[in-house]
Amino acid sequence: MPAQLLQGKPIAEAIKSEVAAEVMGLHFRPGLAVVRVGEDPASAVYVGSKVRTTEELGMYSEHIHMQPDITQAELLNIVRELNARNDIDGILVQLPLPGHINDREILEAIDPAKDVDGFHPMNVGRLSQGLESLVPCTPAGVIEILKRSNIEIAGRHAVVIGRSNIVGKPMAMLLLQENATVTICHSRTRDLPAITRQADILIAAIGRAGFVRGEHIGENAAVVDVGINNVSDKDFAAELFSEEDLPKRLAAIEKRGFTLVGDVNPKEAMERAGSFTPVPGGVGLLTVAMLMKNTVAAAVMRRGA
Ligand code: NDP
């Protein structure tokens, strides 16, 4: 039987409705400031969607767009000014920043109470101690997909491929908090398929198109694909997509030069997994929804309900 598809859209919509309802009940309007530097086209798309969704849910949104030659000191000043403003509850600095900027120093300058991306060491530390904190949006979204799809986490073996600070590590922490038995794999892991095949829940956050194959997936595992990659090679696309899916993928390559693929080979995952998040249409949709949830949570924690 083919895997059950875990669609992100209805879950993201439900979370956004819950956030909008919570915003309506507040005696103030939560505010999110998004700082973008330069003209990276992907960043422009992500920021556009964050700003639009913030406004749709009844919150105040401020988009601060700076020239790529901004200095470290100027960017730090912007963050400090946002820290001091009472109408701003969440601050997000869109990555990547230009090469001359020390992004660690910028992210650490954000008031941890307004750190809606959950990247500040204070929030990372609180998460690892199981304390209330602002949690990185993408891994938090994965937990929502699992829970709202009634996939049991407690007591099960979750394997995370990837150990980045923004996805892999916080993902592992959140799964641990949900009482999974957690294994983290990375580029130095030996015999990766032998480990990942043991997973009841397999999370792929690698950054390599279609890397996770059938041999990595245990029968009936829940497979969550965090990856977002562009594939432009038609022969490679033929290895990734089923006969049913392939024509529209080839048409996308023809039309805009690429099609979006996760870190999992979707054709093989559909044959082996019990359930599987599609790309696009899976985890990616949750990231903005969770940012909205974090903004309201930050606002309520700082200002009270
Ligand atoms: P990073 O490049 O920071 O981390 C990739 C991780 O994968 C590293 O820990 C690396 O190991 C591991 N890895 C690389 N090659 C292998 C291999 N051959 N075998 C096992 N492990 C390997 O990526 P991110 O965590 O930032 O992102 C991961 C993916 O998620 C990307 O596709 C990205 O586009 C996507 N993403 C999606 C988001 C969304 O909203 N859906 C948000 C953020 C990211 P090592 O540490 O040893 O180098």
Side-chain angles (χ1 to χ4, degrees):
M1 220 170 56
Q4 179 204 351
L5 274 181
L6 305 173
Q7 300 286 2
K9 189 155 187 214
I11 298 173
E13 291 304 322
I15 292 167
K16 286 193 274 183
S17 303
E18 289 160 19
V19 170
E22 198 178 348
V23 169
M24 292 253 286
L26 294 175
H27 66 277
F28 63 90
R29 201 169 168 216
L32 173 66
V34 182
V35 182
R36 174 162 76 96
V37 181
E39 298 303 335
D40 178 59
S43 292
V45 172
Y46 294 144
V47 167
S49 138
K50 288 167 185 174
V51 168
R52 210 169 39 249
T53 312
T54 309
E55 287 165 2
E56 277 166 14
L57 302 190
M59 295 187 276
Y60 170 70
S61 159
E62 194 160 308
H63 177 190
I64 300 164
H65 183 197
M66 303 309 294
Q67 294 302 314
D69 59 357
I70 188 171
T71 65
Q72 182 82 11
E74 286 167 338
L75 194 51
L76 274 175
N77 255 339
I78 290 173
V79 169
R80 288 183 184 132
E81 278 170 26
L82 293 169
N83 283 344
R85 278 173 55 183
N86 194 42
D87 61 330
I88 295 297
D89 298 285
I91 304 169
L92 181 149
V93 178
Q94 185 68 41
L95 301 175
L97 290 169
H100 68 280
I101 299 286
N102 174 349
D103 47 11
R104 182 114 303 277
E105 191 186 15
I106 302 293
L107 296 181
E108 289 186 14
I110 296 174
D111 178 349
K114 298 187 178 187
D115 167 40
V116 283
D117 253 343
F119 295 159
H120 192 286
M122 174 78 87
N123 283 316
V124 175
R126 290 181 66 88
L127 171 64
S128 76
Q129 293 191 346
L131 301 171
E132 187 178 47
S133 63
L134 292 166
V135 175
C137 301
T138 302
V142 171
I143 296 290
E144 292 288 341
I145 291 189
L146 293 173
K147 284 188 171 171
R148 293 182 193 232
S149 306
N150 296 317
I151 291 169
E152 206 179 341
I153 306 176
R156 302 183 80 207
H157 187 192
V159 176
V160 181
I161 317 178
R163 56 173 164 178
S164 72
N165 290 329
I166 61 170
V167 189
K169 280 186 206 153
M171 186 74 255
M173 278 301 163
L174 287 173
L175 288 161
L176 194 59
Q177 219 168 59
E178 296 294 332
N179 297 310
T181 300
V182 182
T183 302
I184 307 175
C185 300
H186 46 78
S187 65
R188 306 286 292 273
T189 298
R190 288 191 191 157
D191 200 357
L192 185 70
I195 296 169
T196 58
R197 266 199 308 272
Q198 296 170 30
D200 300 309
I201 299 169
L202 179 60
I203 317 272
I206 309 160
R208 294 179 62 174
F211 177 85
V212 173
R213 312 285 305 256
E215 60 161 352
H216 294 92
I217 301 171
E219 239 168 274
N220 283 324
V223 178
V224 179
D225 191 351
V226 179
I228 303 178
N229 312 285
N230 294 346
V231 165
S232 48
D233 183 289
K234 290 181 180 171
D235 292 335
F236 186 35
E239 286 175 32
L240 294 168
F241 300 107
S242 64
E243 274 178 32
E244 194 191 334
D245 224 7
L246 187 59
K248 64 173 188 275
R249 298 301 196 138
L250 293 178
I253 294 175
E254 201 63 58
K255 192 169 165 210
R256 52 173 189 173
F258 68 93
T259 185
L260 278 187
V261 182
D263 291 341
V264 178
N265 180 308
K267 183 160 70 176
E268 295 178 14
M270 285 305 285
E271 283 162 12
R272 277 194 72 84
S275 50
F276 176 52
T277 59
V279 176
V283 176
L285 297 177
L286 267 292
T287 300
V288 174
M290 297 312 290
L291 174 66
M292 300 298 114
K293 199 168 164 166
N294 271 357
T295 302
V296 177
V300 170
M301 275 194 264
R302 199 173 59 85
R303 300 205 236 179

